Amino acid sequence: MESLVELCDLIAQNPAQFGNKIAWICSRCPPAESLMTGSPTVSRSQLHAILAVARFLSKCPNSEHETPKSLILAFYRSIPLTFNPKFWPQAFYPADVSSFFTDSMSYISNAAELCPKFSSDVAGFTGEIVLQTMANADSSISRVFLNALCSNFPPILSADANKLIRFLLDRFDVGIPTSPKEGILTPDVGSAQGSPLSGNYNQSPNVSADSSSSSGIVANGVDNVSWKSNGDLSAPAAYKRNLKFFEDEPVEGLEKQEIVFKLIGHVCSKVAIDPRLIEQVRGIAKSQLSSMADFLKIRKRDWSEQGQLLKVRINRKLSVYQAAALLQIKTLASLDTEGKSSKKLLHGALGLLIEAAEACLFSVWRKLRACEDLFGCLISGISQAAVIRGGQLLRVLLIRFKPLVLATCAQADTSASSQGSMFNSVLKTCCELIEFGWSRDRAPLDTFIMGLATSIRERNDYNEEDGKEKPATPPIQLNIIHLLAELNVFVKKHEVVDMILPLFIESLEEGDASTPGLLRLRLLDAVSRMASLGFEKSYREAVVLMTRSYMGKLSEVGSAESKTQAPEATTERIETLPAGFLLIASGITCNKLRSDYRHRLLSLCSDVGLAAESKSGRSGADFLGPLLPAVAEICSDFDPCVDIEPSLLKLFRNLWFYIALFGLAPPIQKTAATSKSVSTSLNSAGSVGTTALQAVGGPYMWNSLWSTAVQRISQGTPPLVS
């Protein structure tokens, strides 16, 4: 098969030159007349030839050769015959059948998109093929083909589309009634499963009950976010009825529901559908999503199935909800954007999507990939709802969306490298909303952004009496800081940076982040990310703050106070601030700012070297070394052959003096390891050595990145003496 693929790709590049080759591949396909008569049996080589010809058409759809098109159309029309297991060659396993259908439908769909004539021919057969496939839905092979259609749906005629949707709605029971919300029992706080639906999450008081959805995330008055119960805690009977309702759904039936929803969604995307059918479809999708919160609130231990069986059921049901959500979102595009009724429908759809997303966020299943994908789909739908009607719903959307953003930050991991899929979905939607609404209605966006930014300044409630310590920084604060930093990097608007940066700097200088801790580290990282965007005002404010912070940390090293400081103080000096300096050096591109930053960094190195000299018996390499990668980066585009200012030349001289003094230059030869007691770890606070002057003739005792940085700096250093 691989050789055929290579050959057809070569032919597609120059079909006129290799006409005989495509004719040869076509000759290896089963004849068109045999595919349409009786119950043909094909060989493995014939199936490979069909795929090769379909691939050729997807790359060269307007070829003058008509045989490839006629062969693929004949195969396409004969697909219902393939549901007979005898059609396939021996040892052609289910996975092979699935791969064949997936690839062939992908090629046919792509070819149809590129060639209107071929698209019209394909569309003439699609309706009947899908109807015959659904009529044989009990066949395992037909279900495999339906799954392939769900991934790549070909063109279809409008009349056939309406007929197909009616058939799907009449033949398959996909309209699940919504369970009564007033009867849902929220799991108790003391449940053995520790359900997050009843948990409290530290939160900003900016989230108010009237700004959240009617049945979802609310503030309880003590800076906490919790799940607002839809029902009465004294209704266990209703809870059991809902549990039995979902347990009685056969898993195979859920699979069919998912396929039906996906097919209808594809059909709605291809052609215009009868408005009455669209209303019916929208109602079914709404019914599904309305039942989602009830499903996700069921406690894990209450299901009769457990283990892998339960996981299969949950994943399948979540996939059904995702298909229904996509269907609901697609039907919104058909609304009359000017009518009053459409505005009401959009309000309702927006609320439904947000409540469904809240249900995912607080579900005990939220770590499942299927639940994360469903959440991402719902969040994407929220973004699309804002676009409809030219952004008229943006104000309402942001009011409803903000509590969801805060709750997601409260749930997300605090790792700076990855906050999880749900966090990333919310971040992406925040960026899309700002990009869309910035030139249309900026005022609600300013309010939304400022509301998120001010939440980091909220203090936890804690009792300072009886020797109780202040609790650790809540995840919500750390994650909101990261979200705002990433948001700025994406949208790249100085107005947004100017709104957020002063609040961050205020917190670093006067608030909770003025003392060592995770909050301070996360804020410093965010400040450096915003400074790296190259907006002059924010750049200067950030660099001044970071420079002052670095020098402040050096003055504290070795003092009595340093012995009682949190370990984050050392992390700030040897990791966070140096990484921030490097990020700025890598990010800014303006020549004026790069020149300014080069001068500032070299000045900082001089100040650091001087401060290190005053630290008797301490290794200055621990102080200057972390800055060298940033200096190397900012000097990477500096031409040492041009005339430079005397002040800058002096700074270069100082830098090389301290590099030599502290033994930071690469070794000039390999010798036996020294027995001197020195600091060799970035993670130390600067241990005391027997001498401050380190030789460069022995092995390099510092971080290898520093050695590389010194070599890079040498390439951008002007002559130190004339």
Side-chain angles (χ1 to χ4, degrees):
M1 182 62 197
E2 291 78 7
S3 58
L4 275 179
V5 168
E6 294 178 3
L7 179 58
C8 82
D9 289 348
L10 179 63
I11 296 171
Q13 295 175 10
N14 196 338
Q17 180 179 352
F18 297 104
N20 59 328
K21 297 296 184 182
I22 190 62
W24 175 79
I25 296 178
C26 290
S27 69
R28 295 172 60 88
C29 296
E33 56 274 10
S34 70
L35 289 173
M36 300 306 301
T37 59
S39 300
T41 300
V42 298
S43 66
R44 187 181 294 267
S45 62
Q46 287 178 320
L47 292 175
H48 290 169
I50 289 174
L51 282 182
V53 174
R55 182 182 177 92
F56 168 76
L57 286 179
S58 69
K59 293 178 174 291
C60 192
N62 296 308
S63 169
E64 296 179 357
H65 301 280
E66 292 298 325
T67 303
K69 296 178 183 178
S70 62
L71 278 173
I72 294 304
L73 287 173
F75 160 73
Y76 186 54
R77 294 178 62 187
S78 68
I79 281 179
L81 299 177
T82 68
F83 303 152
N84 185 342
K86 295 181 179 180
F87 173 86
W88 304 94
Q90 292 184 352
F92 209 76
Y93 300 107
D96 298 322
V97 176
S98 176
S99 177
F100 175 82
F101 277 139
T102 300
D103 291 343
S104 61
M105 295 312 302
S106 174
Y107 296 147
I108 291 173
S109 298
N110 289 340
E113 290 179 1
L114 298 173
C115 180
K117 176 63 170 62
F118 185 68
S119 174
S120 177
D121 292 338
V122 170
F125 303 121
T126 298
E128 187 61 30
I129 291 171
V130 179
L131 286 174
Q132 291 186 47
T133 304
M134 296 303 299
N136 290 276
D138 293 333
S139 164
S140 59
I141 298 177
S142 69
R143 288 198 296 272
V144 170
F145 177 66
L146 287 173
N147 283 320
L149 284 178
C150 290
S151 299
N152 296 281
F153 196 87
I156 187 171
L157 299 178
S158 180
D160 289 344
N162 288 315
K163 181 180 178 181
L164 177 58
I165 291 179
R166 291 191 185 95
F167 174 82
L168 293 173
L169 296 180
D170 293 341
R171 178 73 180 271
F172 297 93
D173 184 17
V174 294
I176 296 182
T178 305
S179 50
K181 285 188 173 294
E182 64 275 8
I184 296 298
L185 172 64
T186 302
D188 57 281
V189 175
S191 88
Q193 297 296 330
S195 171
L197 296 176
S198 57
N200 290 331
Y201 303 89
N202 184 277
Q203 179 61 299
S204 163
N206 291 319
V207 185
S208 59
D210 57 356
S211 69
S212 64
S213 57
S214 60
S215 57
I217 302 170
V218 297
N220 60 18
V222 289
D223 293 355
N224 287 332
V225 164
S226 61
W227 183 265
K228 179 182 177 182
S229 171
N230 287 320
D232 184 359
L233 291 174
S234 62
Y239 178 76
K240 291 180 179 179
R241 284 197 301 271
N242 283 294
L243 173 61
K244 186 177 186 306
F245 174 81
F246 291 116
E247 282 189 326
D248 287 344
E249 292 182 301
V251 174
E252 185 176 343
L254 294 177
E255 182 181 4
K256 290 181 179 179
Q257 286 182 18
E258 180 187 359
I259 290 174
V260 169
F261 288 144
K262 286 183 176 180
L263 291 178
I264 295 177
H266 282 301
V267 171
C268 291
S269 300
K270 296 293 182 180
V271 294
I273 306 299
D274 186 331
R276 291 171 297 181
L277 277 178
I278 287 291
E279 287 299 316
Q280 190 175 355
V281 168
R282 186 183 294 118
I284 291 173
K286 178 181 178 181
S287 176
Q288 283 282 338
L289 294 181
S290 297
S291 72
M292 199 178 92
D294 301 340
F295 172 79
L296 291 175
K297 287 183 181 181
I298 296 175
R299 293 169 296 202
K300 183 177 180 180
R301 69 167 187 256
D302 289 341
W303 290 93
S304 59
E305 296 173 323
Q306 292 296 322
Q308 187 61 28
L309 290 176
L310 178 58
K311 188 175 181 180
V312 170
R313 173 178 293 277
I314 298 299
N315 278 323
R316 181 58 65 186
K317 186 64 175 177
L318 292 175
S319 296
V320 172
Y321 283 134
Q322 182 173 349
L326 286 170
L327 187 56
Q328 174 79 349
I329 294 166
K330 287 180 179 179
T331 61
L332 296 179
S334 64
L335 293 175
D336 176 14
T337 57
E338 302 299 329
K340 292 184 178 180
S341 60
S342 68
K343 185 175 182 179
K344 182 178 180 180
L345 284 172
L346 280 173
H347 272 286
L350 179 62
L352 186 61
L353 292 172
I354 290 180
E355 289 180 13
E358 292 169 355
C360 288
L361 183 63
F362 286 93
S363 168
V364 70
W365 307 106
R366 64 184 177 276
K367 294 296 184 181
L368 288 180
R369 176 65 181 272
C371 194
E372 292 177 340
D373 290 345
L374 172 57
F375 182 84
C377 172
L378 294 165
I379 294 296
S380 174
I382 292 170
S383 175
Q384 293 178 47
V387 176
I388 301 175
R389 295 181 68 95
Q392 294 180 18
L393 296 182
L394 188 60
R395 289 176 178 266
V396 175
L397 185 150
L398 291 173
I399 293 174
R400 302 287 298 275
F401 187 54
K402 178 188 167 187
L404 182 60
V405 175
L406 294 173
T408 304
C409 289
Q411 293 272 33
D413 189 4
T414 57
S415 168
S417 59
S418 175
Q419 274 74 20
S421 174
M422 291 185 174
F423 177 91
N424 291 332
S425 296
V426 167
L427 170 61
K428 179 182 178 183
T429 297
C430 287
C431 296
E432 290 174 349
L433 292 176
I434 292 174
E435 286 286 342
F436 170 76
W438 193 255
S439 60
R440 292 173 174 82
D441 193 0
R442 182 176 159 184
L445 290 173
D446 289 349
T447 303
F448 173 72
I449 295 169
M450 284 298 295
L452 295 178
T454 54
S455 65
I456 68 165
R457 299 190 302 181
E458 303 301 332
R459 297 175 179 269
N460 294 329
D461 291 334
Y462 67 98
N463 191 351
E464 296 180 346
E465 300 177 359
D466 301 326
K468 292 184 178 180
E469 296 182 356
K470 180 181 176 181
T473 304
I476 186 172
Q477 288 182 299
L478 300 177
N479 288 320
I480 288 176
I481 293 168
H482 184 71
L483 181 140
L484 291 172
E486 290 291 328
L487 185 150
N488 274 286
V489 170
F490 181 85
V491 301
K492 291 183 174 63
K493 297 185 183 298
H494 72 86
E495 298 92 342
V496 180
V497 176
D498 291 343
M499 275 193 287
I500 297 173
L501 187 62
L503 296 175
F504 284 10
I505 293 178
E506 178 186 349
S507 183
L508 284 166
E509 294 183 333
E510 302 174 3
D512 287 348
S514 60
T515 56
L518 290 176
L519 181 62
R520 180 174 178 83
L521 296 181
R522 187 60 61 87
L523 279 171
L524 286 171
D525 175 73
V527 166
S528 63
R529 291 177 71 81
M530 286 186 273
S532 69
L533 298 176
F535 302 125
E536 186 168 352
K537 180 175 180 292
S538 56
Y539 151 79
R540 294 185 185 279
E541 292 176 351
V543 172
V544 168
L545 170 71
M546 294 170 63
T547 301
R548 188 166 59 244
S549 298
Y550 195 81
M551 291 302 300
K553 286 294 176 288
L554 294 192
S555 65
E556 295 170 359
V557 173
S559 65
E561 293 80 3
S562 66
K563 298 179 181 179
T564 59
Q565 277 189 340
E568 287 83 3
T570 302
T571 303
E572 178 181 337
R573 178 177 66 83
I574 64 178
E575 294 182 16
T576 306
L577 286 172
F581 285 127
L582 177 59
L583 183 64
I584 297 172
S586 304
I588 56 176
T589 57
C590 172
N591 290 334
K592 175 184 176 183
L593 292 187
R594 289 190 67 82
S595 176
D596 176 81
Y597 191 51
R598 187 179 303 113
H599 198 284
R600 288 176 183 270
L601 269 186
L602 291 172
S603 296
L604 176 59
C605 289
S606 293
D607 295 339
V608 168
L610 186 61
E613 282 189 281
S614 66
K615 300 284 183 179
S616 177
R618 187 168 297 278
S619 172
D622 282 342
F623 298 159
L624 182 61
L627 297 175
L628 294 180
V631 176
E633 182 62 34
I634 200 62
C635 291
S636 62
D637 61 341
F638 182 66
D639 185 358
C641 298
V642 300
D643 293 335
I644 63 171
E645 298 177 0
S647 61
L648 186 61
L649 182 60
K650 180 181 178 181
L651 292 176
F652 270 110
R653 289 173 181 160
N654 291 345
L655 175 64
W656 281 104
F657 170 76
Y658 288 120
I659 287 176
L661 179 63
F662 301 142
L664 285 164
I668 57 177
Q669 63 182 3
K670 295 183 179 180
T671 62
T674 181
S675 60
K676 294 177 181 179
S677 174
V678 294
S679 170
T680 59
S681 172
L682 269 177
N683 294 322
S684 72
S687 59
V688 175
T690 57
T691 177
L693 180 61
Q694 304 296 340
V696 294
Y700 198 69
M701 296 174 291
W702 317 114
N703 189 315
S704 61
L705 294 177
W706 301 355
S707 174
T708 303
V710 172
Q711 296 179 57
R712 292 183 63 196
I713 292 171
S714 67
Q715 298 171 6
T717 300
L720 300 181
V721 293
S722 57

